[in-house]
Amino acid sequence: MTKKQKAMLFRIIATFIVYIPLAVADHMGTLPAGPGIWGRLAVYLVPYVLIGWDIVYKAFRNIKNGQVFDENFLMTVATFGAFGIGEYSEAVAVMLFYQVGELFQSYAVNRSRQSITELMDICPEYANIEEDGQLKQVDPDDVEVGDIIVVKAGERIPLDGRVVFGDSMVDTSALTGESVPRKAGVGDDVISGCVNGSGLLRVQVTKEFDDSTVAKILELVENASSKKAQVENFITRFARYYTPIVVIAAVVLAALPPLMLGQSWAEGIRRACTFLVISCPCALVISVPMSFFSGIGAASRRGVLVKGSNYLEALSQMDTIVFDKTGTLTKGEFKVTEIHLADGGVSGGNAPAGTVPAGNISAGNTGADDLSGETAGLLELAALAESYSDHPISRSIKDAWGSAVDMNRVSDTEEISGHGVKAVIDGHVVLAGNSKLMKEMQVDYKECPSIGTVVYVAQDGVFKGSIVISDTIKEEAYKAIRDLKKVGVRRTVMLTGDKKEVGEAVAARLGLDEVHAELLPDGKVAKVEELLAGLHGKDKLAFVGDGINDAPVLSRADIGIAMGSMGSDAAIEAADIVLMDDDPSKISDVVRISRRTMSIVKQNITFALGVKAIVLLMGAFGMANMWEAVFADVGVSVIAILNAMRALSLK
């Protein structure tokens, strides 16, 4: 409990202690008060002022500021009216139970915020910089890109960077929701906000604090409540018009029957006051935003950041989901998976003759000892030809070779854009590239039917063989597509800039409904536009991507979902939802959370409006007194808030 909540609890208890004996004595006619109604009024004003002074103060302050019609005004007018017609006990009871409801509401809202505000604990207080052999604690804001920071065991990593010394297990649970620590060693990227579990790490900073992962997460959290769902905006507009209407209705109810039907003024005012208490829209105004906030909190505990309740609402209506391929459904790690010799004279395992299959080829595990002489020679020739290139395909070949490349053997290299590489190795002209290069150089080559990127290698115009490089599908991707179908997503689509054969092979393995390949970034935007045009009614489209070239598509989709751990800053900035551990299978979890959150919101709206409508009619016809009014206000609010809190535990 906060300090303010404890103070309110003390006031409530003190009021109960004063009010209960007072009400009992008054009911039994043994109230030791002065003569007449003024004595009773003076006695009841003590508990009323004790519990309600702040509500009355707020009402008059808001009137002064031009904000007349709110719950403080309704409570003040209703209780003043009750005092005016001699209903002293009811006036105190209304204010007392209203404050009980307010305390409960405040406590519940704090509980719902807790799961998100706990993220604020990920903010590092300091960074360790080594100076003259001593560690010095500095503000993370003062650390520059390129500086080396020291992270001791148990400390939170203050900035994004790359490990240059040490090995450790890093706890990422605060960011990703993943309980299993991740291994971090030299060359691995680490992100701010995670906890170094064991061992000392030296990390070279790659981003300033303002651009770091932890800073971006905190910014997302702080701004999440500013983006309201349509239903929230409706409730806000509803309350703006609803409250003045019920005040006018209460005035009519107090004046019209006495003037036209001969009803007593005391009865008219009593009904009007009851009507005002019943009409207070607290249940809607509090429970609906709280339901969304609780849903966002539930998602954050799963390692998914939702930037606003409007996106949670849109996700509940998702009909079509579009995936980028590389880095989203696949790992984005290109590896040599097959080697084919021109003469087909080598076999590996159970693979067809002339092929070394996937699984036999991995970084640091290839070379003359693992591959036959001709196969190793082909891989070495390709690695030498690609030695000066930093293209992902070139890196894959060099990683597969695994040994140091003798650059002195390479006397000349020429990169032919869109085709491949031409190099002079040991005095021989070597070509390494795609089929276009072979055709242009008039090399008689054998087409490789394998799925993936194929690098053909020729020496002095003679075809030597081909190397197949392909991306690997994420294990979670299979579960992601399967679970999305289970939660009712009708259409799953994949967009890729890769070759048609590669895209179709991945789509077939994952069970996707559609695939569109060989797309440039603007082609992806055009395809998403086309898919959006085909949606019906309230159906929404989500796009999931991770690269900087995905930012335009993420912005254009109804819901943009970005990979947060390894995704680009531009993609995270453009997205509406961020998966902190790059696990696409969590999308179905958030869809489930969004739909159940919307169900809770609709339950609260139906329940609150239904009960209020019934009790308002009862109050208007004199069939409800102040106690029913208290239930229609405080009781309904408490029940709606309890229901909203269920969204916190959604999974």
Side-chain angles (χ1 to χ4, degrees):
M1 262 195 176
T2 64
K3 199 171 180 181
K4 189 176 179 182
Q5 288 169 348
K6 287 177 181 176
M8 177 53 70
L9 181 61
F10 174 79
R11 283 172 59 195
I12 288 170
I13 293 170
T15 304
F16 264 111
I17 292 171
V18 175
Y19 170 68
I20 297 300
L22 185 62
V24 170
D26 190 20
H27 182 71
M28 297 176 65
T30 58
L31 186 64
I37 61 169
W38 296 108
R40 289 182 66 235
L41 174 61
V43 171
Y44 274 108
L45 277 175
V46 173
Y48 180 83
V49 171
L50 179 61
I51 194 63
W53 66 266
D54 54 332
I55 300 296
V56 177
Y57 169 74
K58 287 176 192 173
F60 281 103
R61 183 192 63 191
N62 291 347
I63 290 170
K64 184 180 176 183
N65 294 334
Q67 301 171 356
V68 179
F69 300 110
D70 63 1
E71 62 269 22
N72 298 301
F73 174 79
L74 294 179
M75 284 298 127
T76 301
V77 171
T79 51
F80 277 19
F83 273 120
I85 59 172
E87 300 281 357
Y88 306 138
S89 179
E90 284 81 353
V92 177
V94 166
M95 191 62 80
L96 176 59
F97 286 108
Y98 175 74
Q99 291 283 45
V100 169
E102 287 288 292
L103 175 64
F104 182 83
Q105 168 193 306
S106 172
Y107 177 73
V109 169
N110 281 352
R111 274 283 308 277
S112 72
R113 286 179 181 272
Q114 219 168 30
S115 58
I116 291 183
T117 53
E118 279 172 3
L119 281 170
M120 297 303 176
D121 294 338
I122 68 176
C123 191
E125 296 178 0
Y126 62 88
N128 295 317
I129 296 284
E130 194 168 4
E131 290 183 0
D132 302 324
Q134 298 290 321
L135 288 183
K136 179 183 177 183
Q137 291 186 355
V138 299
D139 192 306
D141 272 323
D142 296 334
V143 181
E144 296 180 359
V145 173
D147 287 351
I148 305 294
I149 59 173
V150 178
V151 186
K152 294 183 284 187
E155 288 188 328
R156 199 172 292 280
I157 298 170
L159 297 116
D160 294 3
R162 184 170 289 113
V163 178
V164 294
F165 173 83
D167 283 289
S168 184
M169 298 300 288
V170 176
D171 179 5
T172 64
S173 58
L175 273 67
T176 67
E178 179 57 57
S179 58
V180 180
R182 295 182 181 181
K183 193 175 187 323
V186 175
D188 291 333
D189 290 323
V190 290
I191 55 177
S192 52
C194 299
V195 176
N196 180 19
S198 59
L200 182 137
L201 293 176
R202 294 183 188 275
V203 178
Q204 185 173 36
V205 176
T206 55
K207 293 179 185 176
E208 292 182 353
F209 181 72
D210 287 344
D211 297 324
S212 67
T213 301
V214 69
K216 288 185 179 296
I217 289 172
L218 295 178
E219 185 181 353
L220 295 185
V221 171
E222 286 163 3
N223 294 334
S225 60
S226 65
K227 296 173 181 175
K228 294 185 177 182
Q230 287 183 9
V231 68
E232 281 187 282
N233 288 324
F234 163 74
I235 293 300
T236 303
R237 292 194 304 270
F238 173 81
R240 191 179 300 145
Y241 295 107
Y242 166 82
T243 309
I245 288 170
V246 296
V247 170
I248 294 167
V251 172
V252 171
L253 196 61
L256 209 58
L259 290 174
M260 299 183 66
L261 303 175
Q263 186 187 75
S264 69
W265 284 99
E267 178 62 17
I269 293 171
R270 187 190 69 78
R271 291 188 185 184
C273 292
T274 303
F275 190 86
L276 285 175
V277 173
I278 297 166
S279 66
C280 192
C282 301
L284 286 178
V285 172
I286 296 299
S287 69
V288 170
M290 186 175 164
S291 299
F292 281 110
F293 206 84
S294 297
I296 291 172
S300 73
R301 286 210 307 275
R302 297 283 299 159
V304 181
L305 286 178
V306 182
K307 292 186 180 181
S309 50
N310 53 335
Y311 305 122
L312 201 66
E313 182 182 36
L315 201 63
S316 71
Q317 301 166 344
M318 184 175 70
D319 170 82
T320 301
I321 186 163
V322 182
F323 292 93
D324 176 55
K325 180 178 77 71
T326 307
T328 303
L329 293 175
T330 63
K331 293 179 180 178
E333 299 171 357
F334 292 92
K335 293 184 178 179
V336 173
T337 51
E338 295 175 22
I339 298 176
H340 300 266
L341 293 175
D343 58 10
V346 179
S347 64
N350 297 319
T355 301
V356 176
N360 291 351
I361 304 160
S362 59
N365 191 33
T366 55
D369 294 336
D370 301 297
L371 303 174
S372 68
E374 285 185 75
T375 310
L378 176 64
L379 187 59
E380 183 184 25
L381 207 59
L384 285 163
E386 302 279 4
S387 59
Y388 285 99
S389 175
D390 198 38
H391 190 278
I393 299 299
S394 305
R395 287 200 301 269
S396 301
I397 292 172
K398 287 182 282 187
D399 288 344
W401 173 241
S403 302
V405 176
D406 185 0
M407 309 288 280
N408 294 321
R409 295 173 60 188
V410 185
S411 58
D412 189 27
T413 60
E414 179 188 354
E415 195 158 339
I416 304 169
S417 180
H419 291 69
V421 176
K422 179 181 178 182
V424 178
I425 301 169
D426 298 332
H428 299 281
V429 177
V430 175
L431 301 171
N434 55 26
S435 58
K436 293 176 185 176
L437 181 64
M438 297 295 108
K439 289 173 183 175
E440 187 173 304
M441 298 298 179
Q442 298 179 340
V443 174
D444 185 16
Y445 73 103
K446 183 180 178 182
E447 188 82 35
C448 178
S450 299
I451 300 299
T453 299
V454 180
V455 176
Y456 297 99
V457 182
Q459 185 178 43
D460 294 330
V462 179
F463 179 60
K464 290 294 184 180
S466 54
I467 298 170
V468 181
I469 297 158
S470 58
D471 198 357
T472 50
I473 297 174
K474 289 182 179 179
E475 293 80 4
E476 305 92 347
Y478 297 97
K479 184 176 184 297
I481 304 303
R482 187 174 65 248
D483 289 353
L484 283 166
K485 294 286 187 183
K486 284 181 182 176
V487 298
V489 175
R490 186 180 60 84
R491 196 178 182 192
T492 54
V493 183
M494 185 178 78
L495 306 182
T496 178
D498 217 331
K499 291 194 298 184
K500 185 179 179 183
E501 297 81 7
V502 176
E504 287 177 346
V506 172
R509 290 180 65 185
L510 289 173
L512 293 162
D513 298 317
E514 294 177 34
V515 59
H516 302 278
E518 300 179 14
L519 296 172
L520 295 173
D522 58 342
K524 290 181 182 179
V525 175
K527 184 55 67 176
V528 166
E529 293 273 8
E530 184 183 315
L531 292 167
L532 282 167
L535 296 177
H536 303 287
K538 291 185 177 180
D539 291 345
K540 303 293 183 189
L541 178 143
F543 179 84
V544 192
D546 76 315
I548 192 166
N549 62 334
D550 293 326
V553 204
L554 287 164
S555 299
R556 181 61 194 91
D558 293 318
I559 312 127
I561 304 174
M563 301 292 163
S565 176
M566 302 307 292
S568 74
D569 290 345
I572 294 170
E573 192 71 31
D576 310 313
I577 295 171
V578 182
L579 307 177
M580 291 312 301
D581 60 354
D582 295 357
D583 182 354
S585 68
K586 288 189 176 176
I587 298 171
S588 59
D589 295 338
V590 188
V591 171
R592 226 176 350 256
I593 287 170
S594 70
R595 289 180 179 170
R596 291 182 67 185
T597 299
M598 288 306 299
S599 176
I600 288 170
V601 167
K602 289 171 184 174
Q603 289 167 15
N604 281 343
I605 291 172
T606 304
F607 173 70
L609 290 180
V611 172
K612 282 191 180 290
I614 292 168
V615 186
L616 275 172
L617 285 172
M618 290 171 64
F621 289 101
M623 297 166 63
N625 58 26
M626 278 287 183
W627 295 106
E628 280 92 351
V630 168
F631 169 74
D633 177 36
V634 178
V636 169
S637 294
V638 168
I639 293 169
I641 289 166
L642 280 171
N643 194 38
M645 287 181 70
R646 289 197 302 123
L648 269 176
S649 57
L650 296 178
K651 293 180 180 178

